[in-house]
């Protein structure tokens, strides 16, 4: 089957995406789930175990607390309360922790440390999967068994104020609520005032049982200015006073009713040293958890240190405290100190309930649960518990009873810990079979792609995909049968659930057929390549083209980067790899330029000497002649002297200086944003600029950057888009001034900070306008084939539209990244790629490298915490999923996207330039040899697009002079 | 210094003498003319090449020994000397040793003594020029390290000494062999530019020092928390290993490829 290169590549990409999706589905573990229905209350609670004697206590124990207030502070790291900051800024809380009637814990959150999965974990006690991160922005209602649903079913009245996520997770659960959106990260006072303003009213009223407050301000401060900002102290002091207010109000109420209330102060996740969250550093995982109640009264001198517990333990504790059944999917164990003050019988009853729930979850998720140590421990403690009950009912000697009780309690606690641990471990199990199928698919496509590179990149841009002949071969059918049999065997024998087995038989069969067809195709391509290789090696006419140092570097760098991803540190610090590579690339370019400039005379090809250079020697694999690829073979010999000689004095100096200019730019950008893990806390220019003391500097920088962006982009635009661009960039500055990031020179104090919706929409209009003009030009060029320049202009306009959008979405301190990106692109185009005549493959890979580096220059990293979510809400009043997702994705990947679109525009402009040259020469009175030479060069450049209209003239002339032609 | 190390360093001495004696003898006895020969006298050329390769090997062994000595000798005179802890001291000593050995060998071997007799003032200016070139190359490397991401203000001394040691491994041999002549340098470091075995080996050692330095930067981001991951220790060690590897490889490589190697005379 003959395919164009583009079609072939597109097919390969589609299959790869399918394979990767299948792999990911297997890689991300499905969370531990109880199959029990959500109507949990239908099930009777487990009765007290009793050996022989019949117990009369089968109902759920009564609630321990009358009212529960949950005060959730987003991003409350443990050291904000227990560390030096807590002592300084939260005096009341510190007093409660050290001397008051409270139990304090350091609760460890599980990954991902993002708000919504953490709320789910707190309320259900289960471990949400990684997939929940994606749903963080738009959370659907929580259907799992959880404390809130149970409380509502038990007739408790719940009031909620705070993050809107709760309202979406628990619709119709709250008798009264006021949600605040968390999307405007730069606001950290209003979000909290919105919660606090209801407090006085609610605390006076007594008509509620559970009050939930979710404060977002602390997390917002972290996102904007980091955990060491002075704003954190103010916020903590504010939170402390709120806690004091709630506590005194609860205490005064208790004096009347004499039943204890519970106040829970907790964080959902921590905060990294840069202020973000989402990853797995200790600062992000450890949160503060304090339970305050008069029931926890302690004797003087009783020092309670904050113990390390799991965040999931809170759900079980809350359920017990409110007298509710424990949520079915909870993997947490009861925080025992909370029930320590109760009689022994009640303590054991609570522990038993929790253990029964955990063992039930274990039975449903682990086929061989009877062999689990936790389950055995549970059975043993249940037996002992029964004995204890019998003794208790017989009213035995209190000494014996006490000792046995202590023993049972210890047994239960051990059992709970083991059960909880083995359930948490369940989450980390992979679906190996789906992963394997996905991997095989990806690898086969990769092999096919690699094998067909030489053909696909040759001048015809077409290739023969050996797909039809093997489909009718015996091998294919054998393969298909074997794979299907394997599928049946695997799917019928595994105990755990498997996604790929869950698919319909037809789909699975299709995938199997695809895998075997691909295998056959790879096999026949290999065979063909070997046959060709033999033929070629017999044919000495082929000149042995050699790799230039640049080609070796590009290939080694790309493969080296792929290999480096095997080490987790290199993934965390991937930006270092890219910075290192582009620096080396610049130095290699510098070497090439200088050699071309100074050694023009000495550089003639010398036939006699075959001295291999040290550069080539470390890469013996590269000399494998079987990978014969037209694109990557340098055609420098046929190129003749590069056009460096023809440059005038000024330009020559620019060419010589350009690598150093680029290196300097990269170094400046590098110190703009520190990313990664190890050195992320180092001071950088970005933090200096964003601090409120340097607003004037930031304003000047932003204005300068916008002017430079205009200067760099406008040179190849049409007049309309030039005007649109200028107005759009002006709009960008107005938008940043409106939301309070930068200042207008005439407006020293900006009091009214709006969301800047109008300004942002104004820019959006211009972006769409420029993109529309560009698309129109592109379409026109498709219709009118003769005009090549229109296509180039159209592509450039699309590119400039994207630049404008990026300028709008980037934070103001990141605007220099955009400027330098444009600047480097201009310099590379003008002084490196054009004079040195790199071929398309080299230019493509260089664009890829720079695009990756600019991704990190923006301050991104491989951690999800560095994604700037606020970019998704530029110009939007309310949260809209599709545009917000698109804007966030574009702002994050702006670097690679801009470089890719520059690549397209650059290649198209080069093609049109050479074509115009050919036309002129063919029409003019020159000798046809020149035309032929240019045609050949064009081929060598790899940018050939067969266009017979253009070649026509040349061919006619060739025949006219009687020379042979070999196009 | 512990006795075991002392003994081992003592055992190094005889072997050093063993190696160096024939070298010195070799240089003193036969002053081989410079390698400009007519291509058709094949046998004579081959013998000449063999002696050249032998001399190359000996000089390189001497350079390697100078590096080994720079590790062991200072511990006789300095308290608490170790490569990792007193890294900067070692850098200075190693740099001085290698420079001294290179200069010595250059004066003794004279791989490409200029034919024309030159005056003293010419020699002095040439020497001064070489010194300036060396300093310039140190600053040049320093700038490149900063461009590669070395801290600009902190650790300036460390970065500069790293630049010095790299210049010692690369610029000093170039200056000895080619003199302060940038054009000749560029010629040697471009493809097919070498004109003698000496230049060929120079090319290989220099490039392998650079590659060693380049590879030496790789362990820095790893989270192993080893003392040698501190900037610039891994890079200097990489440079040293690269240099030593180049010294070992180049004679062997030239020996194995001596049939194919033909040099154009300029």
């Amino acid at each position: 089957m003959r395919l164009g290169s583009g079609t072939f590549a597109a097919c390969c990409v589609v299959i790869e995406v399918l394979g990767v999706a299948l792999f990911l589905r297997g890689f991300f573990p499905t969370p531990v789930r109880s199959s029990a229905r959500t109507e949990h209350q239908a099930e009777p609670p487990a009765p007290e175990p009793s050996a022989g004697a019949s117990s009369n206590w089968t109902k759920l124990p009564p609630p321990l607390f009358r009212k529960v207030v949950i005060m959730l502070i987003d991003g409350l790291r443990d050291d904000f309360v227990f560390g030096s900051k807590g002592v300084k800024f939260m005096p009341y809380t510190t007093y409660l922790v050290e001397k008051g009637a409270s139990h304090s814990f350091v609760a460890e959150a599980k990954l991902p440390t993002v708000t919504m999965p953490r709320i789910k974990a707190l309320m259900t006690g289960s471990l949400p999967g990684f997939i929940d991160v994606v749903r963080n922005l738009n959370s659907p209602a929580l259907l799992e068994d959880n404390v809130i649903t149970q409380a509502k079913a038990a007739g408790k009245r719940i009031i909620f104020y705070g993050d809107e996520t709760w309202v979406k997770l628990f619709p119709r659960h709250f008798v009264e609520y006021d949600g605040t959106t968390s999307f405007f990260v730069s606001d950290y006072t209003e979000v909290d005032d919105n919660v606090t303003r209801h407090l006085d009213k609610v605390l006076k009223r007594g008509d509620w049982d559970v009050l939930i407050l979710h404060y977002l301000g602390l997390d917002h401060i972290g996102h904007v200015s980091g955990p060491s900002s002075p704003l954190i102290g103010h916020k903590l002091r504010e939170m402390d006073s709120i806690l004091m207010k709630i506590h005194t109000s609860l205490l005064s109420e208790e004096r009347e009713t004499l039943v204890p209330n519970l106040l829970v102060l907790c964080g959902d996740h921590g905060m990294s040293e840069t202020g973000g969250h989402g990853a797995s550093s200790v600062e992000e995982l450890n949160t503060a958890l304090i339970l305050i109640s008069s029931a926890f009264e302690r004797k003087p001198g009783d020092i309670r240190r904050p113990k390390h517990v799991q965040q999931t333990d809170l759900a079980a504790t809350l359920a017990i405290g409110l007298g509710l059944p424990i949520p079915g999917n909870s993997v947490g164990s009861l925080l025992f100190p909370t029930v320590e003050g109760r009689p022994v019988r009640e303590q054991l009853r609570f522990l038993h309930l929790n253990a029964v729930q955990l063992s039930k979850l274990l039975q449903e998720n682990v086929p061989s649960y009877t062999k689990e140590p936790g389950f055995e421990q549970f059975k043993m403690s249940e037996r002992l518990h029964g004995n204890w009950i019998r003794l208790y009912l017989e009213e035995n000697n209190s000494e014996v009873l006490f000792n046995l009780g202590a023993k049972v309690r210890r047994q239960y606690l051990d059992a709970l810990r083991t059960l909880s641990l083995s359930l948490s471990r369940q989450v980390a199990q992979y679906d190996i079979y789906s992963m394997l199928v996905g991997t095989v698919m990806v690898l086969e496509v990769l092999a096919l792609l690699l094998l067909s590179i030489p053909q696909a990149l040759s001048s015809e841009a077409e290739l023969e995909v050996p797909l039809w002949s093997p489909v009718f071969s015996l091998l294919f059918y054998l393969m298909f049968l074997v794979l299907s049999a394997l599928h049946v065997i695997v799917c019928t024998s595994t105990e755990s659930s498997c996604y790929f087995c869950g698919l319909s038989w037809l789909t699975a069969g299709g995938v199997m057929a695809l895998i075997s067809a691909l295998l056959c195709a790879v096999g026949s391509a290999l065979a063909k390549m070997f046959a060709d290789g033999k033929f070629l090696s017999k044919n000495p006419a082929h000149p042995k083209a050699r790799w230039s140092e640049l080609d070796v570097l590009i290939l080694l760098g790309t493969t080296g980067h792929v290999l480096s991803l095997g080490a987790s540190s290199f993934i965390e610090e991937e930006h270092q790899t890219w910075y290192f590579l582009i620096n080396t690339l610049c130095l290699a370019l510098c070497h090439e330029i200088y050699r071309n400039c100074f050694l023009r005379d000495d550089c003639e090809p010398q036939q006699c000497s075959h001295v291999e250079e040290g550069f080539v020697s470390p890469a013996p694999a590269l000399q494998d002649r079987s990978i014969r690829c037209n694109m990557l073979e340098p055609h420098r010999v046929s190129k003749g002297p590069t056009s460096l000689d023809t440059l005038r004095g000024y330009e020559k100096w620019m060419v010589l200086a350009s690598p150093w200019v680029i290196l300097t730019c990269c170094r400046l950008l590098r110190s703009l944003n520190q990313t990664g893990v190890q050195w992320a806390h180092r001071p950088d220019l970005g933090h200096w600029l964003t601090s409120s003391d340097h607003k004037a500097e930031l304003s000047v920088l932003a204005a300068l950057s916008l002017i430079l962006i205009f200067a760099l982009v406008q040179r190849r635009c049409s007049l309309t888009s030039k005007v649109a661009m200028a107005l759009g960039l002006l709009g960008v500055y107005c938008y940043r001034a409106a939301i309070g990031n930068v200042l207008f020179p005439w407006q020293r104090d900006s009091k009214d900070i709006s969301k800047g919706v109008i300004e942002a929409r104004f820019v959006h209009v211009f972006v769409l306008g420029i993109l529309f003009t560009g698309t129109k030009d592109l379409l026109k060029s498709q219709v009118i084939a003769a005009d090549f320049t229109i296509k180039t202009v159209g592509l450039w306009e699309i590119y400039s539209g994207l630049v404008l959008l990026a300028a709008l979405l980037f934070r103001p301190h990141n605007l220099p990244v955009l400027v330098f990106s444009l600047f480097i692109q201009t310099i590379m185009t003008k002084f490196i790629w054009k004079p040195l005549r790199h071929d398309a493959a080299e230019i493509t890979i260089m664009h890829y490298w720079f695009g990756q580096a600019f991704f990190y220059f923006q301050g991104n990293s491989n951690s999800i915490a560095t994604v700037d979510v606020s970019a998704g809400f530029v110009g939007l009043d309310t949260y809209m999923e599709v545009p917000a997702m698109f804007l966030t994705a574009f702002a994050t990947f702006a670097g690679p996207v801009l470089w890719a679109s520059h690549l397209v525009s650059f290649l198209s402009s080069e093609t049109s330039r050479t074509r115009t040259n050919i036309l002129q020469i063919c029409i003019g009175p020159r000798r046809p040899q020149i035309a032929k030479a240019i045609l050949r060069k064009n081929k060598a450049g790899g940018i050939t697009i067969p266009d017979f209209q253009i070649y026509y003239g040349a061919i006619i002339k060739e025949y006219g002079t009687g020379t042979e032609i070999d196009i | 210094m512990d006795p075991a190390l002392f003994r081992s360093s003592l055992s190094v001495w005889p072997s050093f003498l063993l190696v160096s004696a024939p070298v010195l003898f070799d240089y003193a006895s036969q002053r081989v003319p410079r390698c400009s020969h007519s291509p058709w006298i094949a046998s004579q050329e081959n013998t000449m090449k063999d002696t050249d390769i032998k001399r190359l090997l000996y000089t390189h062994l001497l350079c390697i020994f100078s590096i080994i000595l720079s590790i062991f000798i200072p511990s006789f005179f300095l308290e608490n000397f170790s490569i990792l802890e007193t890294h900067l001291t070692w850098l200075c000593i190693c740099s001085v040793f290698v420079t001294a050995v290179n200069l010595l060998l250059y004066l003794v071997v004279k791989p490409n003594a200029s034919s024309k007799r030159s005056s003293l003032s010419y020699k002095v200016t040439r020497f001064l020029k070489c010194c300036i070139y060396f300093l310039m190359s140190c600053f040049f490397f320093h700038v490149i390290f900063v461009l590669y991401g070395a801290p600009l203000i902190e650790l300036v001394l460390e970065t500069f000494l790293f630049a010095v040691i790299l210049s010692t491994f690369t610029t000093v041999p170039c200056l000895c062999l080619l003199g302060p002549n940038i054009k000749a340098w560029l010629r040697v470091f471009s493809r097919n530019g070498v004109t003698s075995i000496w230049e060929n080996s120079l090319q290989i050692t220099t490039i392998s020092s650079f590659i060693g330095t380049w590879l030496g930067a790789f362990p820095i981001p790893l989270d192993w928390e080893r003392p040698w991951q501190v900037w610039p220790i891994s890079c200097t060690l990489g440079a040293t290993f690269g240099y030593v590897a180049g010294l070992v490889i180049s004679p062997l490589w030239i020996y194995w490829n001596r049939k194919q190697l033909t040099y154009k005379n300029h």
Side-chain angles (χ1 to χ4, degrees), chain A residues 223-284:
Chain A
H223 278 295
V224 173
S225 50
S228 48
S229 145
L231 292 171
I232 295 271
H234 292 291
K235 185 52 79 178
L236 288 178
R237 199 166 279 147
E238 182 192 333
M239 292 294 128
D240 193 49
S241 64
I242 291 168
L243 185 93
M244 185 159 87
K245 185 192 279 178
I246 299 171
H247 191 217
T248 41
S249 143
L250 286 179
L251 281 180
S252 68
E253 204 187 285
E254 260 172 50
R255 249 171 256 131
E256 293 158 20
T257 56
L258 297 175
V259 183
N261 294 325
L262 176 69
L263 170 57
V264 180
L265 173 73
C266 63
D268 55 346
H269 49 73
M271 190 183 286
S272 70
E273 277 309 313
T274 49
H277 55 89
S280 61
S281 69
V282 181
E283 291 88 8
E284 283 159 274

Side-chain angles (χ1 to χ4, degrees), chain A residues 161 239 314 336 384 570 691 777 803 848 851 863 868 884 890 904 960:
Chain A
Y161 300 116
M239 292 294 128
L314 185 65
F336 188 69
L384 276 175
F570 279 127
S691 73
D777 282 347
V803 168
Y848 171 67
S863 148
D868 178 13
F890 180 79
V904 173

Side-chain angles (χ1 to χ4, degrees), chain B residues 99-118:
Chain B
T99 315
V101 168
N102 263 304
L103 283 177
L104 191 78
L105 289 178
Y106 165 69
L107 291 176
V108 175
V109 183
K110 284 203 170 84
N112 58 344
S114 54
S115 54
K116 62 172 183 286
R117 196 154 292 205
S118 45

Side-chain angles (χ1 to χ4, degrees), chain A residues 547 569 584 606 613 667 678, chain B residues 146 148 150 190-192 221 223:
Chain A
W547 294 65
S569 307
T584 313
Q606 296 167 343
E613 278 197 36
R667 184 66 178 90
Q678 280 193 50
Chain B
V146 170
Y148 258 97
S190 54
R191 181 169 289 179
N192 306 336
D223 54 358

Side-chain angles (χ1 to χ4, degrees), chain B residues 121-166:
Chain B
S121 66
Y122 173 78
K123 273 181 182 162
V124 169
T125 46
R126 194 180 150 94
F127 180 73
L128 284 179
K129 228 176 171 181
C130 281
C131 289
I132 291 168
Y133 268 57
F134 178 74
L135 269 181
M136 267 167 60
S137 91
C138 290
F139 286 116
F140 176 74
F141 282 134
H142 189 105
V143 168
I144 286 191
F145 297 151
V146 170
L147 288 178
Y148 258 97
L152 184 66
I153 300 157
E154 307 144 50
L155 302 173
V156 175
L157 186 66
E158 280 85 350
T159 312
F160 186 72
L161 282 179
F162 173 33
V164 169
I165 194 102
L166 190 60

